[in-house]
Amino acid sequence: MKDFIFITGASGIGKTTLANALLEHYKTTCIEQHMIPEFISRDGCEPMTGELEELTCWENQVAMLFCFHRLGYKNIIASDIDDLRTADIPLVFRGTDFITVKLICSDLRQIQEQMKNRPNNGLIDFELQEKMNSRNIQRQPLVNEVVIDIAGRSPKEVFRLAIDIIENTPSQRDYEYVKPPKELFYSWVYSNGLR
């Protein structure tokens, strides 16, 4: 069993679908950014910036993950993380048994169809989605990060492949790691030239 399972990838690629399937399979817990309580300001006066909002969400998500870990939970699933934070995972979670599953899609039409069929009329910004996915495809895997190309695969096939990878890929716990430059990642806060 892993301590943590991180799921990353561009919008509409199936992160939540995979997270829900893993949650059902492992009977554990899943923490996504949208679960962080609402907040408006730190002092009731200061306006909330996108950077502060993202930092607050990340710090809360990390605290929740470590809380469940301290209580003995295993295979704790984390998703809905700003891609720029993916580079922080090997720093923050060094010494734990974690894996990051990065979803990509080499068939742009497939991911655009998935976006059209998202519940609650989710984000449908095909240009931004294409740029996010392209950047994810180009970036080399980080420590304990594996890549699954969802192209031509059903959600069930992606799930089965993810289970096989999670259960058969040993995690490095002690490693040298230099955080890659932020230009290799996209961010909803900084946009990093994506819009």
Side-chain angles (χ1 to χ4, degrees):
M1 292 200 295
K2 299 288 186 199
D3 292 324
F4 302 101
I5 301 167
F6 296 93
I7 304 169
T8 65
S11 293
I13 204 158
K15 298 185 298 293
T16 298
T17 300
L18 178 57
N20 288 337
L22 291 173
L23 177 63
E24 179 63 28
H25 177 77
Y26 287 119
K27 307 288 191 238
T28 178
T29 187
C30 178
I31 300 168
E32 293 191 316
Q33 181 175 295
H34 69 83
M35 297 171 177
I36 306 304
E38 289 296 321
F39 51 92
I40 300 171
S41 170
R42 288 188 287 194
D43 61 4
C45 300
E46 174 192 32
M48 183 61 64
T49 65
E51 187 175 355
L52 179 57
E53 179 184 356
E54 189 279 333
L55 176 63
T56 303
C57 286
W58 170 248
E59 293 288 339
N60 271 271
Q61 194 169 15
V62 166
M64 291 169 69
L65 290 166
F66 277 119
C67 176
F68 277 97
H69 184 257
R70 188 178 67 252
L71 293 171
Y73 288 76
K74 294 291 186 182
N75 293 327
I76 302 165
I77 302 156
S79 188
D80 196 25
I81 300 165
D82 189 32
D83 189 57
L84 191 59
R85 288 295 176 183
T86 304
D88 290 330
I89 293 170
L91 292 173
V92 174
F93 295 90
R94 183 189 320 245
T96 66
D97 189 355
F98 77 89
I99 190 166
T100 301
V101 178
K102 179 172 78 168
L103 301 179
I104 63 167
C105 188
S106 57
D107 180 359
L108 189 59
R109 288 173 305 172
Q110 179 178 334
I111 196 169
Q112 289 178 343
E113 283 302 311
Q114 288 178 194
M115 286 184 74
K116 285 180 187 175
N117 296 318
R118 289 176 76 173
N120 304 322
N121 297 317
L123 172 70
I124 301 180
D125 184 335
F126 296 129
E127 182 182 356
L128 176 60
Q129 199 287 324
E130 180 179 3
K131 290 177 180 178
M132 295 164 122
N133 189 55
S134 175
R135 187 156 301 175
N136 243 349
I137 289 172
Q138 293 169 13
R139 179 177 59 75
Q140 292 298 309
L142 304 173
V143 174
N144 294 335
E145 185 176 52
V146 294
V147 178
I148 295 178
D149 188 347
I150 68 160
R153 292 187 167 109
S154 70
K156 285 185 180 179
E157 290 171 319
V158 172
F159 165 70
R160 285 194 294 269
L161 181 55
I163 290 291
D164 183 57
I165 289 170
I166 290 165
E167 295 183 357
N168 294 295
T169 304
S171 299
Q172 296 180 60
R173 290 178 180 237
D174 185 25
Y175 46 80
E176 295 295 321
Y177 177 71
V178 176
K179 188 175 172 179
K182 70 177 186 178
E183 291 74 25
L184 297 177
F185 303 85
Y186 62 86
S187 171
W188 64 268
V189 177
Y190 301 106
S191 295
N192 284 346
L194 293 178
R195 288 188 182 270

